[in-house]
Amino acid sequence: MDTEKLETPGADLVHDVRGPLPPDGGRPPLMMIGQPMDASGFTALASHFPDRTVVTYDPRGLGRSTRKDGRSDHEPLTQAGDVHALISALAAGPVEMFASSGGAVTALALVAEYPGDVTVLVAHEPPLLTVLPDARAAERARAEVRDAYESKGWGAGMAAFVAMASWQGEFTDDYFARPAPDPASMGMPDGDDGSRDDPLLSDRSWAVSGYRPDVHALGSSATRIVIAVGEESRGTLTGRTSEATAGLLGRRAAVFPSHHGGFLGPESGHAGRPEDFARRLRAVLDETG
């Protein structure tokens, strides 16, 4: 694996290349992106593609990639521009892409803005609150996570996030009437270290969940777009956003093994089924039409 740094006006983007460039065998590079997950989250999944050149990267301001734009927010169009710059720097033509969570939102923005960059996109569980029928209630639930984090710290914020992410169905009055979740009961610290810069729990990533996909641009793109959902995510927030996004594009979500992080290995602390996930991803990438 080679680790390289691409210097752009707004950020220095650290990325890892597993395999040769240009790739062997006539297949394009397979790029894997996330957000707020950085490249380290794709270690297990990438290991199941030894026959492919796999590229992973750390988004600006996350992991090893430093930003120079003086900002702390995470905006999909900005990140799409970063991924476009990275694909151009690889000089290996358009890529195939697996993108998860906020990375899936970045990827949808990328395909809309730079339609020649990606031949096939598997967008796994994009957390797009804007596509939900209960979007305003989902935004209220998101604000409760931020407020818990701001007032009591990481443990309270993460407990609120887990409660939101695992809630089944629309966010009803029953959801908002429940007691605040107890961090200790979830094995999380109930203290406060004073930090407030977590991209998942603060409002720094609200632009990600608040992004509105350009349905017309995506529909007219030559990129084959597959919206993926984990079999264990059905009915939860990202399961619902995945199915709603697929519906906007006139298709059904493709079901993948496990949960929102179904491609993660045991080192993550919340392992999925990476071998089964990779097998499913390979089959979807190899589909035609």
Side-chain angles (χ1 to χ4, degrees):
M1 182 176 74
D2 293 327
T3 298
E4 303 174 6
K5 180 171 69 175
L6 174 64
E7 297 184 7
T8 74
D12 293 339
L13 304 172
V14 177
H15 54 285
D16 303 314
V17 181
R18 297 169 172 85
L21 282 175
D24 293 333
R27 292 293 294 270
L30 172 56
M31 195 168 187
M32 301 177 178
I33 68 173
Q35 202 279 328
M37 179 180 290
D38 60 28
S40 63
F42 296 101
T43 301
L45 183 60
S47 72
H48 292 287
F49 288 87
D51 57 321
R52 299 290 301 273
T53 294
V54 176
V55 180
T56 55
Y57 95 119
D58 294 353
R60 67 168 61 195
L62 299 171
R64 302 160 295 173
S65 291
T66 56
R67 59 193 309 167
K68 302 179 286 190
D69 57 1
R71 301 174 66 97
S72 60
D73 58 326
H74 301 281
E75 209 283 327
L77 289 176
T78 299
Q79 295 191 355
D82 288 344
V83 177
H84 170 69
L86 182 53
I87 291 171
S88 298
L90 294 174
V95 302
E96 294 181 356
M97 181 171 288
F98 171 73
S100 187
S101 195
V105 178
T106 295
L108 292 170
L110 173 72
V111 170
E113 293 293 315
Y114 307 98
D117 280 2
V118 182
T119 58
V120 55
L121 165 64
V122 179
H124 180 248
E125 301 204 7
L128 293 168
L129 303 189
T130 58
V131 305
L132 293 175
D134 57 327
R136 289 192 176 183
E139 290 166 355
R140 178 184 171 190
R142 179 184 66 181
E144 285 193 351
V145 172
R146 187 272 316 274
D147 292 347
Y149 177 55
E150 290 291 339
S151 63
K152 297 182 179 179
W154 187 88
M158 183 55 72
F161 176 81
V162 170
M164 178 184 71
S166 59
W167 182 260
Q168 283 284 325
E170 295 190 5
F171 292 100
T172 62
D173 290 342
D174 288 342
Y175 174 83
F176 295 106
R178 83 208 188 295
D182 175 30
S185 69
M186 298 182 181
M188 300 170 188
D190 54 8
D192 185 353
D193 65 3
S195 64
R196 294 296 186 272
D197 57 356
D198 189 292
L200 186 66
L201 305 179
S202 67
D203 56 12
R204 296 184 178 194
S205 292
W206 279 19
V208 176
S209 54
Y211 177 73
R212 294 182 179 273
D214 188 333
V215 175
H216 175 73
L218 294 173
S220 59
S221 170
T223 302
R224 179 166 64 89
I225 301 172
V226 178
I227 306 298
V229 62
E231 62 187 357
E232 297 175 26
S233 299
R234 309 299 283 273
T236 66
L237 177 60
T238 54
R240 294 195 301 123
T241 59
S242 302
E243 291 173 345
T245 302
L248 283 177
L249 299 177
R251 61 204 68 177
R252 292 180 178 272
V255 179
F256 272 61
S258 198
H259 47 65
H260 187 66
F263 52 90
L264 296 173
E267 71 283 350
S268 69
H270 187 47
R273 291 159 48 198
E275 184 174 359
D276 294 338
F277 196 101
R279 187 179 300 111
R280 174 66 166 139
L281 177 58
R282 186 182 293 273
V284 171
L285 291 173
D286 288 348
E287 289 174 359
T288 59

